[in-house]
Amino acid sequence: MTSWYEGPLAAFDIETTGVDVETDRIVSAAVVVQDSAGARPRVSRWLVTPGIPVPRAATALHGLTEDRLCREGRWPAPVMEEIGRELAELSAAGKPLVVMNAPFDLTLLDRELRRHRASSLARYLENRPLCVLDPRVIDRHLDRHRKGRRTLTDLCAEYGVRRDEAHDATADAHAAMEVARAVGRRFAERLEPMSPAELHARQAVWHAAQARGLEEWFARSGSTESVDPAWPMRPELRAAA
């Protein structure tokens, strides 16, 4: 029987106007689907006119200027509809979805669906919840004593994965997928007994523990910064009374 990391996988990635999942917007997105390791991927990609200014710092990161997005991007509402439907189809087909730092990408997508479609990611998925594989969470749990950061750039270097263009949604989605496969191969003895669904459930526990550990580290450094333990998506913020 083929291991999950050699079989069908999909991956999702976004580029944004910033790092606040409640207020920032998606400017580009990509879904990459691969039927097996090494197979030719199928790619869906989107450019979005975000409807708010694109900060220079964001453009410096992903290269997407406000002018280009106004000329070549599409309005957010139909794009979010297409992304929501595509993820729902992948979920219904039973394809695990690789999302690097899932709480950021999936939460921001959910907020965009609420903003532009008066809906939510959960409503698009209905009774077919995503099975998410987050390379950052898995790697941090399985190799917890390795020093250094765990960004996609760092993980690509650690696992020998080629990344054609940093901070491009398509390239990053494909790179995250290859990192997930590489993590699976390196830790096959520990991961092979788990189905993707079992691994999804364990990642929620692992991420919560990692969040507590990071908060403790912040506290020792004199910071009161908090880390949301929710995974793979943060809960909706309640409106102030």
Side-chain angles (χ1 to χ4, degrees):
M1 184 177 177
T2 303
S3 301
W4 63 261
Y5 49 83
E6 301 294 356
L9 290 179
F12 174 63
D13 190 79
I14 60 174
E15 298 299 329
T16 68
T17 59
V19 298
D20 189 327
V21 296
E22 303 298 338
T23 60
D24 278 303
R25 311 295 173 87
I26 294 174
V27 296
S28 70
V31 173
V32 177
V33 182
Q34 196 176 40
D35 291 330
S36 62
R40 185 182 181 88
R42 301 187 299 278
V43 179
S44 300
R45 53 172 66 90
W46 298 267
L47 277 181
V48 187
T49 302
I52 65 171
V54 180
R56 291 182 179 179
T59 295
L61 197 64
H62 49 58
L64 297 171
T65 63
E66 192 168 334
D67 178 65
R68 180 185 173 189
L69 292 170
C70 287
R71 286 185 290 104
E72 302 178 20
R74 296 168 57 204
W75 292 113
V79 170
M80 301 311 148
E81 170 78 9
E82 291 171 14
I83 295 173
R85 288 185 178 276
E86 181 140 358
L87 295 190
E89 290 172 4
L90 291 169
S91 181
K95 284 188 171 63
L97 184 69
V98 177
V99 190
M100 178 73 185
N101 191 16
F104 178 81
D105 289 42
L106 295 182
T107 303
L108 212 155
L109 172 62
D110 175 77
R111 303 315 190 247
E112 288 279 59
L113 288 168
R114 294 173 187 272
R115 184 177 293 121
H116 297 291
R117 302 302 304 180
S119 187
S120 67
L121 182 55
R123 288 179 188 169
Y124 276 82
L125 299 174
E126 295 179 344
N127 296 318
R128 305 179 297 256
L130 290 169
C131 179
V132 178
L133 303 174
D134 188 334
R136 183 181 185 181
V137 174
I138 300 171
D139 170 78
R140 190 183 294 275
H141 177 78
L142 296 176
D143 198 356
R144 66 187 70 183
H145 298 300
R146 191 179 78 243
K147 294 183 179 180
R149 301 173 67 198
R150 311 286 175 126
T151 66
L152 183 56
T153 298
D154 299 315
L155 295 186
C156 284
E158 173 67 24
Y159 289 94
V161 170
R162 177 180 173 179
R163 189 183 183 195
D164 292 329
E165 187 177 351
H167 299 293
D168 169 84
T170 302
D172 285 358
H174 190 261
M177 179 188 294
E178 292 304 314
V179 168
R181 294 192 189 280
V183 172
R185 293 176 188 128
R186 180 178 293 186
F187 298 99
E189 187 173 340
R190 298 169 67 181
L191 291 175
E192 274 188 349
M194 283 184 272
S195 68
E198 291 170 329
L199 186 52
H200 175 104
R202 294 201 185 191
Q203 285 170 96
V205 177
W206 296 346
H207 179 269
Q210 291 163 10
R212 289 194 300 271
L214 189 54
E215 279 195 346
E216 291 170 1
W217 184 85
F218 284 143
R220 290 195 298 272
S221 302
S223 171
T224 59
E225 184 174 348
S226 62
V227 183
D228 197 317
W231 184 96
M233 192 172 75
R234 299 174 192 171
E236 181 185 13
L237 289 178
R238 293 183 179 180

